[in-house]
């Protein structure tokens, strides 16, 4: 799927905007800082996932002079069929979601139709802590393993119940009421994650080989959140007394991680800031490539200020990877001339100034 058009009203500082987009090329958004470039990316992200990558308070996304915002688009399918989709949010109320004229109760179906891969300054968090790496991994699992969401929801519901029982010093019998479902959902999550990362690692290795000139390869290891040589039931049994003392469950898929290393050293400690950005970009683009390979579904790439911290050669390599994806890409830049000489595919430029969007020429 790709966005054929994007129509916004009262989103952030964008009072209204109507954009006709390129579905399989670069939609370059340029302008001065504070003009609204990132808000356009945020709008596409919100349309897909029902949340912002900038803040958790949705009411802040409503223009100061309005009571609600709306985001509308038409998705162009592989057969060129146009599917109208939209989301509207009024201050203090839940979002209203529509797909092809039908109301939706959750954002899940729209997220499946409109997968987005985001690359921005927060993407460095991938190298900062396990919670961000779990989110990275689960993005791919969500789109490739249909049963994962239900298992994830079950596990999180049950572990909250188990942790509550542990904190309240309930008897072991009362704690173990939750054990069978906890084990079942944990194993389902683990199998889905392990399958996905096994498919993803070769693609990551290929892309990072193109982006980074390193003598030693980058190694990525999936860590499930408990000893892989011991079944989860035994792990829970052996950890029970300590879990009871701590008041929470120590081991499980909620502790899963991806170990990213070079010569047995953390990649974050080994690489320069620019190399870290190449690593993160490569890993995110690899997710999109895997989705296309296995599901024939190209994602939409949202890239905020890609040129920062990269030299011209590194920038050229990343753009080359994106061109290979034949996907729809939204990129922000302060000056459009930054991209001269790099874009060998279809490109459309939009200029944003004081919340107003217009088509511009190169």
């Amino acid at each position: 799927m790709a966005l054929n058009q994007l129509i916004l009203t009262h989103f952030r500082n964008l009072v209204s905007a109507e954009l006709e987009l390129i579905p399989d090329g670069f939609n370059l958004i340029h302008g001065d800082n504070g003009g609204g470039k990132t808000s356009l990316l945020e709008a596409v992200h919100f349309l897909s996932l029902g949340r912002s990558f900038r803040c958790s308070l949705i009411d802040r996304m409503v223009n100061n002079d309005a009571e609600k915002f709306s985001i509308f688009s038409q998705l162009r399918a592989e057969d060129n069929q146009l599917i109208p989709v939209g989301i509207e949010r009024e201050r203090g109320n839940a979002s209203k979601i529509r797909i092809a004229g039908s109301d939706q109760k959750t954002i899940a179906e729209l997220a499946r139709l409109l997968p987005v891969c985001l690359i921005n300054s927060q993407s460095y968090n991938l190298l900062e802590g396990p919670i961000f790496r779990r989110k990275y991994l689960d993005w791919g699992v969500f789109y490739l393993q249909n049963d994962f969401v239900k298992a994830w929801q079950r596990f999180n519901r049950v572990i909250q119940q188990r942790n509550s029982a542990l904190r309240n010093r309930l008897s072991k019998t009362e704690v173990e009421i939750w054990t069978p479902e906890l084990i079942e959902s944990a194993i389902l999550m683990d199998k889905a994650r392990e399958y996905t990362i096994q498919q993803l690692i070769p693609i990551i290795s290929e892309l990072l080989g193109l982006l980074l000139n390193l003598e030693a390869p980058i190694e990525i290891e999936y860590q499930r959140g408990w000893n892989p040589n011991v079944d989860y039931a035994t792990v829970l049994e052996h950890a029970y007394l300590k879990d009871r003392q701590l008041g929470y469950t120590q081991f499980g898929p909620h502790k899963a991680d991806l170990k990213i290393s070079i010569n047995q050293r953390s990649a974050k400690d080994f690489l320069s800031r620019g190399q870290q950005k190449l690593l993160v970009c490569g890993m995110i683009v690899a997710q999109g490539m895997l989705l296309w390979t296995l599901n024939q579904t190209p994602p939409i790439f949202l890239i905020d200020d890609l040129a920062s911290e990269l030299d011209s050669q590194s920038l050229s390599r990343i753009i080359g990877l994106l061109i290979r994806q034949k996907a729809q890409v939204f990129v922000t830049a302060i000056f459009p001339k930054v991209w001269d000489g790099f874009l060998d595919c279809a490109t459309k430029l939009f200029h944003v100034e004081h919340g107003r969007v217009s088509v511009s020429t190169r």
Side-chain angles (χ1 to χ4, degrees), residues 159-214:
I159 200 169
Q160 288 177 14
Q161 297 287 352
R162 186 178 194 269
N163 288 345
S164 177
L166 290 168
R167 286 193 305 270
N168 291 305
R169 300 293 192 267
L170 300 187
S171 68
K172 186 176 182 181
T173 300
E174 291 172 298
V175 172
E176 289 185 340
I177 289 174
W178 308 105
T179 299
E181 190 173 1
L182 189 74
I183 293 171
E184 182 181 359
S185 56
I187 291 174
L188 288 173
M189 287 179 63
D190 175 58
K191 287 182 177 179
R193 283 171 168 172
E194 187 170 29
Y195 170 81
T196 301
I197 197 64
Q198 286 176 350
Q199 305 299 311
L200 189 57
I201 285 176
I203 300 176
I204 294 175
S205 298
E206 176 191 354
L207 296 192
L208 295 185
L210 296 172
L211 292 176
L212 294 166
N213 294 319
L214 300 175

Side-chain angles (χ1 to χ4, degrees), residues 179-339:
T179 299
E181 190 173 1
L182 189 74
I183 293 171
E184 182 181 359
S185 56
I187 291 174
L188 288 173
M189 287 179 63
D190 175 58
K191 287 182 177 179
R193 283 171 168 172
E194 187 170 29
Y195 170 81
T196 301
I197 197 64
Q198 286 176 350
Q199 305 299 311
L200 189 57
I201 285 176
I203 300 176
I204 294 175
S205 298
E206 176 191 354
L207 296 192
L208 295 185
L210 296 172
L211 292 176
L212 294 166
N213 294 319
L214 300 175
E215 294 182 0
I218 292 178
E219 299 175 348
I220 299 177
E221 177 189 351
Y222 169 62
Q223 299 175 329
R224 59 173 40 91
W226 70 89
N227 188 335
N229 300 315
V230 182
D231 67 85
Y232 191 42
T234 302
V235 168
L236 289 175
E237 177 63 28
H238 289 171
Y240 171 73
L241 291 178
K242 187 65 173 180
D243 286 353
R244 184 179 178 85
Q245 179 182 349
L246 295 172
Y248 62 85
T249 305
Q250 301 172 80
F251 304 105
H254 60 301
K255 297 294 185 179
D257 197 2
L258 292 177
K259 183 180 179 181
I260 308 171
S261 59
I262 304 171
N263 281 337
Q264 299 183 337
R265 289 176 55 192
S266 168
K268 179 187 174 184
D269 298 332
F270 192 94
L271 300 175
S272 68
R273 185 71 170 176
Q275 288 174 320
Q276 288 178 29
K277 184 162 188 176
L278 290 173
L279 168 61
V280 169
C281 288
M283 290 183 66
I284 294 174
V285 172
Q287 287 269 36
M289 184 180 289
L290 180 62
L291 184 62
W292 170 248
T293 301
L294 296 185
N295 277 13
Q296 296 299 296
T297 303
I300 294 173
F301 289 96
L302 307 178
I303 307 176
D304 198 17
D305 197 15
L306 178 61
S308 67
E309 300 177 326
L310 293 179
D311 56 35
S312 60
Q313 187 177 37
S314 297
L315 183 61
S316 179
R317 289 173 182 169
I318 291 179
I319 293 175
L321 288 185
L322 293 168
I323 291 173
R324 284 176 52 187
Q325 306 310 303
K326 297 181 179 179
Q328 187 173 44
V329 185
F330 292 81
V331 189
T332 66
I334 296 178
F335 304 109
K337 66 180 181 181
V338 169
W339 303 87

Side-chain angles (χ1 to χ4, degrees), residues 65-248:
D65 298 325
E67 290 301 315
K68 66 179 181 181
F69 67 75
S70 63
I71 308 169
F72 173 82
S73 184
Q74 290 180 327
L75 305 185
R76 183 177 292 278
E78 292 299 310
D79 59 1
N80 284 326
Q81 177 185 2
L82 295 178
I83 303 172
V85 298
I87 189 166
E88 180 181 275
R89 180 73 180 225
E90 189 173 352
R91 293 185 189 274
N93 293 319
S95 297
K96 297 179 181 179
I97 306 162
R98 290 179 68 83
I99 300 176
S102 299
D103 293 333
Q104 305 291 314
K105 293 183 179 180
T106 69
I107 197 70
E109 185 59 31
L110 189 50
R112 289 195 179 279
L113 286 175
L114 190 61
V116 296
C117 291
L118 173 68
I119 299 174
N120 66 353
S121 60
Q122 298 174 31
S123 299
Y124 284 109
N125 288 334
L126 186 58
L127 302 177
E128 295 295 333
I131 185 173
F132 302 106
R133 290 186 286 274
R134 282 194 295 274
K135 288 181 178 179
Y136 165 81
L137 176 57
D138 288 348
W139 185 95
V141 183
F142 171 80
Y143 288 104
L144 298 174
Q145 303 286 312
N146 292 333
D147 295 333
F148 177 75
V149 172
K150 291 182 179 178
W152 183 88
Q153 290 172 337
R154 285 175 59 202
F155 178 83
N156 281 278
R157 175 179 57 82
V158 174
I159 200 169
Q160 288 177 14
Q161 297 287 352
R162 186 178 194 269
N163 288 345
S164 177
L166 290 168
R167 286 193 305 270
N168 291 305
R169 300 293 192 267
L170 300 187
S171 68
K172 186 176 182 181
T173 300
E174 291 172 298
V175 172
E176 289 185 340
I177 289 174
W178 308 105
T179 299
E181 190 173 1
L182 189 74
I183 293 171
E184 182 181 359
S185 56
I187 291 174
L188 288 173
M189 287 179 63
D190 175 58
K191 287 182 177 179
R193 283 171 168 172
E194 187 170 29
Y195 170 81
T196 301
I197 197 64
Q198 286 176 350
Q199 305 299 311
L200 189 57
I201 285 176
I203 300 176
I204 294 175
S205 298
E206 176 191 354
L207 296 192
L208 295 185
L210 296 172
L211 292 176
L212 294 166
N213 294 319
L214 300 175
E215 294 182 0
I218 292 178
E219 299 175 348
I220 299 177
E221 177 189 351
Y222 169 62
Q223 299 175 329
R224 59 173 40 91
W226 70 89
N227 188 335
N229 300 315
V230 182
D231 67 85
Y232 191 42
T234 302
V235 168
L236 289 175
E237 177 63 28
H238 289 171
Y240 171 73
L241 291 178
K242 187 65 173 180
D243 286 353
R244 184 179 178 85
Q245 179 182 349
L246 295 172
Y248 62 85

